């Protein structure tokens, strides 16, 4: 059997380019200065400051909000590879900013509609311009656990506007929501202002990515796409999101590994450095192997999203399933191997654990990605299998 | 040299020696002489003295041009271990003598490292090499688990030349002619029934001093170069998606509806993903190594490979219980190389157990990753400063 997708040796580069490394350096430095773990932890107690101030710097001053926006709409016209590098850094710091939800998912959804005969092309363009400048935060209104297939529609178009609930939506502090809904003539995609929506915040396991329940009750909305075009755009947004979330997970896992190794190199018990015990060394060696292989998978997902759309569904499913699991494992090891300190609120490990666990459910659990992947590569658990 | 000139060279070779009408042996020779065997080797030695990453270009072009593959499985030890060591430590004469027939598969190599008392602790080898009157060496000792010794023309040999200094300092490294008087190879039957490896007894074997690689007493340094190449060789193939052992599981699933169940589907996909990730990790490692020397990351790849092969082959048995109860052949054959895919699932399962032992156990490789990559402290050493002959064993 030949696989339905390209299956020869790896053709894409999995190594970071100089451009990607320079983006990384800038973001890393900024986060080191402006995103201390204490401030991130304060988000759990209701602090809002970091969300806004940090995002303004990242989005507007560094221009990261426009990374995936084409130059003609005021963006940087960079690609998924650079974006993946940024996400590694944001994941490492668990930065509480709407980069993934706004600058990646919602933006790629809209970018997909740029060349189309969308219902309202100028609305698409204007929205992208505002988003690229960092002025407007967007969010795609689908449940945060949605798998990158067509979403289940819980919102409907009626003569007086859109009606329905969506929950839980990530990045719910957005200014504009992109709402997939069932219209009178089939599926479509609408732009809805925050003022039109009742967003009830949810107390989330991971408070660094705010969640909310959205209620639309006759919300006034502008349609931007209908039918296939709308569905494709949403799917593209979610696929890009799931593929690049893997980079965030790698960044997080790498932080956990590095922190743990450095703690174990200092901590002494039984008259020895704890990291010299072989039981510990082997766990760290295995974790290193897991993190580096997750990195290869995430790089491939970003590379395929950039340069090989045909293979992107496979690349994304592979990365999504492996990187989620590695991030959780790394965060769990980090807590465990820090001993008592690892259980404290003071130590930043908990921030990573919460993010890792939430990320594992976000945009499709590993099991669901593997189930989808089976369908793509012809390993399906029913009679249809050839 | 860039990719395009490289492609031009390959096209020239394919034109002068059309694979369809050329004897494969003739083609291999022409390829070697054109410097397209291993491009990072020097000119005249099968290479062009250029960056290793252009080898991928060569391989891809040759493959699409229908060129025959050189017998890599058969010559694995020579290719992966002997050749890089000879290149790094051999004299010009040694390089000229050994590299070409090695690459062509005319001469198979084996590795005489392990001994009954020195496996993981390789620096503990007891095989002695003592100077003879003419300045050459007389070697006595016993080696074990030596793959391919029964078909090998040459061996790389680690032997003790000075028992009065600590173990790492008293070793020297030689090329051994396996047809020399005093070399006796006995098959050693293994878990699979076959005898892929051997015991090798060395009794008063004469080795000329010109067959030494590196300085006297420097054998450990040379052996380390061999070992890091070995781990890269084991971990770093350029593979297709769904190739290797996972292809068997995928095929089983697709072609035999009876094995399919919802309950194991996720486990099949989990292994499929792991195989794909292994392939991507290898590609990334190769891309990173493209310009530099092999590094310790090869150790990580090897651990990953062993875990993968073992978990996939076990799953294959579980998927097909009736098949799992049967075995293809217990005959004591002496294969020249391992071929996982042409044997049955039981063979794959049993042979894969060797993947975490051969070439350094996964335990020892995890130590290497932890110490040399992550910088964690080394193990406590009791024999470091003690002369080899005083270490209890
Ligand atoms: C199929 C196969 C082919 C081989 N081919 C060759 C060949 O061609 N040439 C050759 O020279 N050798 C060959 N070998 C030998 C192989 O390199 C050794 O078997 C291997 O290095 C392990 O050594 P050992 O068998 O002495 O095990 P030991 O070193 O005795 O190890 C026993 C157990 O203790 C563990 N252990 C040892 N030291 C440590 C440590 N420091 N920390 C934690 N655990 C430890 C090991 O992991 C292992 O589980 C081959 C082996 C196999 C299985």
């Amino acid at each position: 059997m030949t696989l339905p997708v390209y299956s020869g040796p790896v053709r894409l580069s999995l190594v970071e380019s100089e451009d990607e490394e320079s983006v990384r350096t800038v973001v890393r430095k900024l986060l080191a200065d402006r995103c201390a773990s204490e401030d991130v932890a304060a988000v759990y107690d209701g602090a809002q400051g970091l969300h806004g101030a940090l995002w303004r710097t990242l989005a507007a001053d560094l221009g990261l909000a426009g990374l995936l926006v084409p130059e003609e709409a005021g963006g940087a016209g960079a690609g998924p590879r650079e974006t993946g590098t940024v996400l590694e850094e944001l994941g490492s710091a668990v930065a509480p900013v709407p980069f993934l939800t706004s600058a990646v998912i919602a933006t790629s959804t809209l970018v997909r509609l740029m060349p189309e005969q969308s219902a309202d092309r100028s609305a698409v363009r204007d929205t992208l311009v505002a988003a690229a400048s960092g002025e407007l935060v967007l969010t795609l209104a689908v449940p945060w656990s949605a798998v990158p297939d067509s979403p289940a529609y819980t919102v409907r178009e009626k003569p007086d506007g859109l009606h329905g609930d969506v929950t839980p939506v990530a990045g719910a502090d957005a200014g504009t929501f992109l709402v997939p809904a069932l219209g009178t003539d089939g599926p479509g995609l609408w732009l809805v202002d925050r003022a039109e929506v009742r967003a009830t915040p949810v107390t989330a396991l991971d408070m660094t990515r705010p969640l909310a329940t959205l209620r639309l009750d006759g919300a006034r909305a502008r349609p931007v796409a209908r039918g296939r075009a709308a569905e494709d755009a949403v799917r593209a947004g979610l696929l890009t999101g799931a593929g690049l979330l893997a980079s965030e997970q790698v960044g997080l896992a790498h932080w956990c590994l590095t922190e743990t190794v450095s703690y174990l190199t200092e901590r002494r018990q039984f008259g020895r450095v704890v990291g010299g015990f072989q039981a510990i060394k082997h766990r760290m060696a295995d974790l290193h192997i897991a993190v580096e292989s997750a990195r290869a998978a995430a790089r491939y997902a970003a590379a395929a999203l950039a340069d090989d759309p045909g293979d992107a569904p496979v690349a994304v499913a592979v990365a999504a399933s492996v990187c989620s699991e590695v991030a959780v494992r790394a965060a769990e090891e980090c807590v465990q191997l820090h001993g008592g300190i690892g259980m404290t609120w003071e130590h930043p490990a908990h921030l990573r654990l919460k993010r890792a666990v939430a990320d594992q459910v976000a945009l499709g659990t590993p099991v669901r990605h593997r189930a989808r992947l089976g369908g793509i590569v012809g390993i399906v658990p029913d009679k249809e299998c050839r | 040299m860039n990719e395009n000139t490289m492609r031009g060279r390959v096209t020239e070779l394919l034109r002068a020696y059309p694979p369809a009408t050329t004897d494969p042996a003739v083609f291999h020779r022409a390829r070697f002489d054109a410097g397209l065997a291993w491009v990072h080797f020097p000119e005249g030695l099968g290479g062009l003295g250029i960056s290793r990453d252009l080898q991928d270009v060569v391989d891809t072009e040759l493959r699409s041009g229908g060129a025959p593959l050189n017998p890599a499985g058969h010559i694995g030890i020579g290719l992966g271990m002997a050749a890089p060591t000879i290149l790094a430590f051999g004299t010009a004469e040694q390089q000229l003598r050994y590299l070409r027939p090695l690459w062509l598969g005319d001469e198979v190599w084996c590795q005489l490292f392990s001994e009954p008392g020195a496996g993981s602790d390789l620096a503990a080898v007891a095989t002695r090499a003592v100077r003879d009157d003419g300045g050459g060496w007389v070697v006595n000792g016993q080696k074990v688990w030596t793959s391919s010794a029964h078909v090998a023309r040459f061996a790389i040999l680690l032997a003790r030349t000075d028992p009065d200094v600590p173990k790492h300092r008293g070793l020297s490294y030689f090329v051994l002619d396996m047809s020399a008087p005093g070399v006796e190879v006995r098959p050693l039957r293994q878990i699979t029934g076959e005898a892929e490896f051997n015991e090798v007894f060395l009794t008063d074997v004469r080795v000329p001093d010109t067959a030494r690689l590196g300085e006297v007493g420097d054998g450990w340094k040379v052996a380390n170069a061999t070992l890091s190449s070995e781990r890269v060789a084991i971990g770093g193939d350029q593979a297709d998606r769904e190739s290797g052992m996972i292809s068997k599981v995928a095929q089983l699933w697709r072609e035999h509806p009876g094995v399919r169940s919802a309950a194991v589907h996720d486990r099949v996909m989990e292994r499929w993903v792991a195989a794909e990730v292994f392939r991507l990790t290898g590609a990334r490692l190769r891309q990173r190594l493209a310009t530099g020397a092999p590094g310790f990351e090869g150790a990580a790849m090897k651990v990953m490979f062993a875990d993968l092969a073992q978990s996939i082959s076990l799953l294959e048995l579980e998927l097909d219980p009736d098949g799992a109860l049967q075995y293809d052949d217990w005959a004591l054959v002496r294969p020249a190389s391992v071929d996982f895919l042409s044997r049955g699932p039981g063979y794959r399962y049993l042979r894969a157990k060797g993947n975490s032992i051969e070439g350094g156990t996964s335990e020892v490789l995890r130590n290497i990753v932890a110490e040399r990559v992550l910088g964690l402290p080394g193990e406590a050493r009791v024999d470091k400063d003690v002369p080899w002959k005083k270490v209890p064993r």
Side-chain angles (χ1 to χ4, degrees), chain A residues 278, chain B residues 111 113-114 119-120 145 147 197 351 357-358 361 363 367:
Chain A
Q278 199 180 55
Chain B
Q111 182 185 26
F113 278 17
S114 303
S120 301
W145 308 303
S147 307
F197 53 32
R351 181 59 184 81
I357 301 172
E358 60 195 331
T361 66
E363 288 75 24
N367 285 347

Side-chain angles (χ1 to χ4, degrees), chain B residues 175-197:
Chain B
V175 170
L176 181 75
D177 182 341
M178 291 294 285
S179 65
V183 178
E184 192 201 339
V185 176
R186 291 187 206 154
L188 187 55
R189 198 173 193 192
Q190 66 199 49
I191 200 167
T192 53
E194 63 188 352
E196 176 199 309
F197 53 32

